Structures are given as C-alpha cells and as structure tokens.
Amino acid sequence: MSLFCRIFSLNATGLVVAAALLLGPVTVSTPVLPAEALVVVAGLALLLIGNAVVLRLGLAPLHRLGRAMAAADLLRPGARAMVAGPAEAAELIRTYNTMLDRLQSERAAGAARALSAQERERRRIARELHDEVGQTLTAVLLQLKRVADRAPEELREEVGQAQEATGAGLDEIRRIARRLRPGVLEELGLASALRSLAVEFTTHGLTVRHHIPAELPPLTEESELVLYRVAQEGLTNTARHAGADRAEIMLRPFADGVELVARDNGQGLGDVPEGAGIRGMRERALLVGAELSVGPGPGRGTETRLRVGGR
C-alpha cells in the first residue's frame, strides 16, 4: 500500500468515526463535561498516534536510503539499499539502485579507458628513457672513460667521480624504465614478474619474501597486469610509508582464479584516509571485476588481498 493510501485511510477512518459519534447518541455539552473532554482527547490522541506510526514506518525506508547514499562509493561495488516500505519509497530505492549500477558501469568503462591510456603512456616514456636518455648516458660514460685514460693524474679522480655519477644515473634510468613498463611480465609471465618485483624492493632496510607457485590458472592479460600493478603499489606503500622491515607477497590459486596477498609488519593504516595509491588499486580491481580489500594484517601491519577470476 502506498504512503498516501495509508495516511488517507487512517485520517478518513478517524473522521468517519468522529462523524458517526456526533450523529449518534454522543453529545458535547456546554460547558464541556470532564467525561466528554476525556473522550475527545482520547480520540485525538489515538488519531495522532496512528498518524505518527504510519509516518514513522513509511519514512523509515527513506532514512535508510539516505544513509546508503551517504556511504555509497563507486569503487566498492555490490552495496545496495534494501528495497522495502511503501510503493513510493520502494520505487525510489529501486531507481537509486539502478542509477548506482549504471554509474558503476560507466565508471568502470571510463577507468578502463583511462588505465589503458596510462599504460600506453608508461610504455612510451619507458621506451624513450631506455632508447634515448639511456643511450645518451651510455655514450657519455664511454666518453668519460676515454677522457679518464688521457687525463692528467690530478684530474683522474674528478673524472672517476663523474663516471660513477653517470653510471648511477644510468642505473636509475633503467630502474625507472623497468617500473614504468614491466617487460618481464610480457616476456616471462606473472610468476617471474612478481619474483623480480620482490627482489627489486628488497633493500638494506626491507626484506621482501615471495611465495609464488610455478603453475597458475590461465588469466587474461588485463588480469595479470592488474595483479602486477597492485603488488607493485602495495610494496611501494610499504617501502615509503609503513616503516616495515619485512614484507611478503603470495599468489594462491583457488577454484576459478587466483588470490594475491601482500602484507608487511609496519605501522598499519591507522585512521589515515585512503590515498591516491589505494584508490588507484581499487580502480584497477574494478576494471577486471576483482575483489580488493586493504586492512590490518595478522598481528600488525597492513594486508592487501586481491581475488581475480580466471578466463
């Protein structure tokens, strides 16, 4: 029954009952007697209570809808307002849920286009760094070697320092190019790429262990790229913000896909709101229909879980 019909029926019933009493043996004296006043007040109270109950029950679904709208996040698919209540409220909730489905579909399509363009730009920049800047620095390094062979004794130390700085810059350029374009992912597959990522992030202050099986269920190229990028972003956050000295990445197959787990023993997320890195991971997960959760790990630290379905 619609909210209008409920309120109208209750008011109509009250007015009909009041009219029937006035047309019947019930009368109101002048001045009003206490018993008559009690009857009028009791009838009015019952009518007001009935109106309050009907309005409370009828508007409760709208309050729930308001809370659902305030908590809605397009990067967390699946949460929908419960369809209940009068016809008008139920129709409004259904319309909101349909709108949310459409917005999430459009967001996923837009994220797919943006991430695809981002990956193309990453590949272009990595290629330019490797082919142009890298080759230029290599040529400079060779020229410095020839200069060092002919330089006077008092200049050789300075030329050697220039060689070391140029070599360090060349190594950094190559490292940046590898992170921009995971060539090992394209050439050797996901398992080798994740092992290489763990080795890359293992420094003097951080040890990254990996548990990655050799055999994995067949995955699409997009799913493999999302798994790699989420692991890369998780280790980047660990290295920059977590204050951890140990981390691990695991890849575990399940019935129809794989689950990536990245955890550390750092200080955890605390009450800090999610930053661009985590929201970027959620966008990538949404792109391939994966389930992503980021929260406290066992004991302490942060744990990231990503479940991706197979082909």
Side-chain angles (χ1 to χ4, degrees), residues 72-122:
D73 188 351
L74 295 180
L75 295 179
R76 300 174 187 267
R80 295 291 181 271
M82 182 179 65
V83 179
E88 297 94 335
E91 182 61 27
L92 178 61
I93 296 172
R94 277 193 293 269
T95 303
Y96 166 74
N97 288 339
T98 303
M99 179 193 69
L100 205 58
D101 291 336
R102 185 175 66 253
L103 289 177
Q104 286 188 340
S105 299
E106 293 175 354
R107 175 68 179 268
R113 291 191 295 269
L115 291 175
S116 177
Q118 185 185 79
E119 290 298 330
R120 288 197 301 270
E121 187 67 11
R122 281 172 177 260

Side-chain angles (χ1 to χ4, degrees), residues 18 20 24 34 39 42 54 67 70 79 113 123 126 135 137 142 146 157-158 176 179 183 223 243-244 278 285 290:
V39 171
V54 170
R67 290 194 296 269
R113 291 191 295 269
R123 285 194 291 269
Q135 290 180 4
L137 287 179
L142 293 174
R146 288 195 294 268
E157 183 179 355
E158 295 182 7
I176 293 173
R179 295 195 64 188
S223 297
I278 296 179

Side-chain angles (χ1 to χ4, degrees), residues 85-268:
E88 297 94 335
E91 182 61 27
L92 178 61
I93 296 172
R94 277 193 293 269
T95 303
Y96 166 74
N97 288 339
T98 303
M99 179 193 69
L100 205 58
D101 291 336
R102 185 175 66 253
L103 289 177
Q104 286 188 340
S105 299
E106 293 175 354
R107 175 68 179 268
R113 291 191 295 269
L115 291 175
S116 177
Q118 185 185 79
E119 290 298 330
R120 288 197 301 270
E121 187 67 11
R122 281 172 177 260
R123 285 194 291 269
R124 184 188 67 80
I125 294 174
R127 187 169 54 250
E128 291 182 358
L129 286 175
H130 183 273
D131 295 344
E132 297 182 12
V133 181
Q135 290 180 4
T136 301
L137 287 179
T138 301
V140 171
L141 199 58
L142 293 174
Q143 289 177 347
L144 285 173
K145 186 178 183 305
R146 288 195 294 268
V147 170
D149 294 337
R150 298 194 301 266
E153 188 66 29
E154 62 273 12
L155 294 179
R156 287 185 179 177
E157 183 179 355
E158 295 182 7
V159 175
Q161 292 175 354
Q163 283 182 288
E164 292 177 1
T166 304
L170 182 60
D171 291 339
E172 183 66 15
I173 289 291
R174 289 170 176 167
R175 187 185 66 82
I176 293 173
R178 284 196 304 269
R179 295 195 64 188
L180 285 172
R181 180 176 177 267
V184 66
L185 177 63
E186 300 175 358
E187 297 166 4
L188 301 178
L190 179 62
S192 297
L194 291 178
R195 294 190 191 101
S196 175
L197 193 65
V199 173
E200 178 184 344
F201 276 90
T202 296
T203 62
H204 297 295
L206 178 64
T207 301
V208 182
R209 297 181 299 172
H210 57 80
H211 307 279
I212 302 166
E215 298 295 331
L216 294 172
L219 300 168
T220 63
E221 292 183 3
E222 292 80 7
S223 297
E224 289 187 348
L225 183 59
V226 168
L227 285 163
Y228 180 85
R229 290 300 187 194
V230 168
Q232 185 182 51
E233 184 63 35
L235 290 177
T236 300
N237 291 339
T238 296
R240 290 180 179 176
H241 311 298
D245 59 3
R246 294 193 310 276
E248 62 179 342
I249 54 175
M250 296 179 289
L251 203 60
R252 300 187 292 219
F254 62 93
D256 56 350
V258 295
E259 180 183 53
L260 172 72
V261 180
R263 61 168 67 108
D264 59 60
N265 66 340
Q267 60 189 3

Side-chain angles (χ1 to χ4, degrees), residues 5-42:
C5 291
R6 293 184 185 188
I7 297 176
F8 178 79
S9 300
L10 179 64
N11 290 330
T13 300
L15 292 175
V16 168
V17 170
L21 291 175
L22 290 176
L23 294 176
V26 177
T27 58
V28 178
S29 304
T30 303
V32 180
L33 299 176
E36 297 172 343
L38 182 62
V39 171
V40 172
V41 170

